[in-house]
Amino acid sequence: MLSIVVPHYNFKNEALFTELEQQCLNLHLNFEIIIIDDASIPTQKTYLQQFKKANFKIILLEKNIGRAAIRNLLAAEASYPFLLFLDGDSYITNPNFIINYINFHHQNPDVDIICGLRNYPEKIKKEKALHHYYGIKTEIFAAKEAFHSNNFFIKKEVFKDTKFDESLSQYGYEDVLFGLMAKTKGYTIKNLYNPVIHLQLKTNKEFITDTDAALKNLAQLMKQPRYENLLKEIPLVCYYLKLKKTSLLGLFKNLKPYLRKSLEQENPNFLSLKKLQFYKLLQLDYFLS
């Protein structure tokens, strides 16, 4: 009794839905696959019409509602007590992907949230190298210790008690906040190596733009007293609060455009991650000022 729920936005991914359906049919599951398109352009969503059939529910929104709200809507549309959330740009390589989650749940029935992690394509275009490098050097390892929303299995009752904060309408930190809130409510989160491949990589410039949007979200959260203590569990926030007690951020604020230009143009390496971290601190300080 599984509801597979997928937010969809401007990315054709017929292979994902075909693979999910086939795995569930092979297992003789009671299942549904719910796809909600968040107001994609017509050419990127018309292909979804082929999935208007048994075991599928396709919903096409006329107005974009954002990453947090669409996940809450997906859960509200689900009929079954267990939800499997997958991003619409995921690719499944493991023929045992679904059964891995089911077996882990049966063996660990008290675990409320199971995160399956992500991998990245081996070959990418040069202009997308920063996103790829950051993903394999930072995100993969960070996700092993924290909640990530691209690929997770959750009890529906747990989701309904937590939900995503819909005040965050843009990209960034909505998943981090969800994981922290779930933990404070006493829900258990465990990681299972059951990854999907993250297909939709951004160019270096797009990646930095997304980073800016995420930091703006984080600053918005930090201005809310109810999240003050919760957000201190985020390493970037801890570093920022320590540096804020010094004059370093103010002294180096003029470096921000140079850091950005460098990150957008260079081939990424270990030093790039240090530059990106410092850029984030400076940009967060800007959004909080």
Side-chain angles (χ1 to χ4, degrees), residues 37-261:
D37 178 79
D38 203 8
S40 297
I41 60 174
T43 56
Q44 296 295 315
K45 62 185 176 183
T46 51
Y47 82 101
L48 292 174
Q49 299 298 325
Q50 67 184 291
F51 294 107
K52 288 189 174 181
K53 57 181 179 176
N55 298 314
F56 279 87
K57 181 187 291 187
I58 309 298
I59 300 173
L60 306 178
L61 301 181
E62 294 184 1
K63 182 179 179 181
N64 185 278
I65 62 174
R67 295 166 58 90
I70 199 169
R71 285 169 171 79
N72 290 344
L73 181 58
L74 281 160
E77 291 288 339
S79 304
Y80 294 131
F82 299 100
L83 312 178
L84 172 56
F85 277 85
L86 291 171
D87 279 358
D89 59 0
S90 302
Y91 180 69
I92 297 172
T93 58
N94 187 347
N96 296 313
F97 178 75
I98 297 294
I99 195 62
N100 284 346
Y101 269 122
I102 293 172
N103 286 341
F104 189 89
H105 168 67
H106 286 161
Q107 294 163 9
N108 304 271
D110 294 331
V111 174
D112 300 300
I113 305 172
I114 308 167
C115 294
L117 311 179
R118 69 164 53 160
N119 283 332
Y120 287 80
E122 292 185 9
K123 297 181 179 180
I124 48 94
K125 294 180 179 180
K126 182 179 179 181
E127 62 267 25
K128 298 182 179 181
L130 180 60
H131 189 177
H132 186 263
Y133 190 83
Y134 180 80
I136 62 176
K137 297 297 183 181
T138 301
E139 280 195 342
I140 286 178
F141 297 102
K144 290 181 180 179
E145 310 236 342
F147 173 82
H148 205 288
S149 65
N150 76 297
N151 172 20
F152 72 101
F153 179 101
I154 186 171
K155 298 174 181 177
K156 185 177 180 180
E157 61 187 27
V158 173
F159 187 95
K160 288 175 66 177
D161 187 47
T162 308
K163 293 187 178 181
F164 282 81
D165 186 337
E166 295 188 15
S167 69
L168 300 177
S169 59
Q170 301 300 314
Y171 168 86
Y173 285 95
E174 71 285 340
D175 54 348
V176 176
L177 180 62
F178 181 92
L180 293 174
M181 290 174 64
K183 285 183 178 179
T184 62
K185 290 176 176 287
Y187 295 122
T188 54
I189 303 174
K190 296 291 184 181
N191 291 319
L192 166 70
Y193 187 73
N194 196 31
V196 295
I197 306 296
H198 178 43
L199 294 179
Q200 195 178 18
L201 299 186
K202 303 295 181 68
T203 66
N204 292 1
K205 288 185 177 182
E206 290 170 339
F207 180 73
I208 297 299
T209 298
D210 277 356
T211 297
D212 290 343
L215 293 169
K216 192 171 184 178
N217 269 3
L218 181 58
Q220 177 183 328
L221 293 174
M222 290 175 69
K223 292 176 182 179
Q224 300 184 46
R226 60 178 171 150
Y227 292 140
E228 182 177 358
N229 292 326
L230 197 62
L231 296 178
K232 289 178 181 178
E233 295 190 39
I234 301 174
L236 182 68
V237 174
C238 293
Y239 297 148
Y240 173 77
L241 293 175
K242 289 178 182 178
L243 284 175
K244 192 62 178 174
K245 295 177 181 179
T246 72
S247 58
L248 288 176
L249 292 174
L251 288 174
F252 290 107
K253 65 181 181 180
N254 291 332
L255 283 178
K256 193 172 61 172
Y258 300 100
L259 289 171
R260 183 186 184 105
K261 184 176 181 179

